[in-house]
């Protein structure tokens, strides 16, 4: 029974390690962080995670989400909300808060 328990513990640790690695692999890095962000009450275009220019026109994301110059987000399913300071919509339409993915269920 001792060998079986050791194998069970080892496989549990291996599964946990794989899960953690997958979490890091799916987290966007700064180079992938293109989108739009509300910063100090103004909408900014973001390139590689850094503010590039002020938004001067509506932007349509690849998933159909539309972001207006005043920070109103219209998701593809019809939900509408206003971005808060520090929130970012990635070019693929995902919402980011504090550098982490968040749901659009404002």
């Amino acid at each position: 029974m001792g060998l079986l328990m050791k194998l069970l513990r080892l496989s549990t640790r291996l599964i946990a390690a794989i899960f953690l690695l997958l979490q890091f692999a799916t987290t966007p890095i700064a180079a992938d962080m293109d989108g739009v962000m509300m910063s100090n009450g103004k909408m900014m275009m973001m390139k590689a995670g850094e503010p590039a220019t002020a938004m001067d026109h509506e932007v349509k994301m690849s998933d159909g989400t539309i972001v207006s110059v005043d920070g109103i987000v219209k998701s593809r399913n019809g939900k509408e909300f206003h971005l808060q300071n520090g929130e970012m919509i990635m070019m693929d339409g995902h919402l980011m808060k504090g550098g982490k993915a968040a749901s659009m269920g404002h």
Side-chain angles (χ1 to χ4, degrees):
M1 216 42 165
L3 180 60
L4 183 59
M5 290 302 290
K6 285 182 183 179
L7 285 174
L8 184 59
R9 282 190 208 133
L10 181 62
S11 61
T12 302
R13 288 180 184 154
L14 185 59
I15 290 170
I18 290 170
F19 178 75
L20 285 173
L21 286 173
L22 287 174
Q23 287 292 98
F24 287 116
T26 59
T27 302
I29 56 173
D32 295 331
M33 294 188 69
D34 291 347
V36 297
M37 179 178 180
M38 178 66 76
S39 178
N40 297 319
K42 294 183 180 180
M43 289 301 295
M44 301 292 294
M45 297 294 296
M46 303 292 288
K47 284 285 184 195
E50 297 294 324
T53 58
M55 244 179 95
D56 61 1
H57 62 279
E58 181 177 273
V59 177
K60 187 172 186 177
M61 306 309 186
S62 63
D63 73 340
T65 298
I66 298 170
V67 183
S68 67
V69 177
D70 61 358
I72 294 176
V73 178
K74 296 175 190 169
S75 65
R76 63 177 180 247
N77 64 6
K79 287 188 179 179
E80 197 171 298
F81 64 93
H82 197 272
L83 283 179
Q84 303 300 309
N85 277 325
E87 292 181 340
M88 179 177 181
I89 301 288
M90 308 301 290
M91 294 308 291
D92 65 4
H94 285 93
L95 174 64
M96 303 286 285
K97 290 183 182 180
K100 296 182 180 179
S103 88
M104 284 208 204
H106 265 242

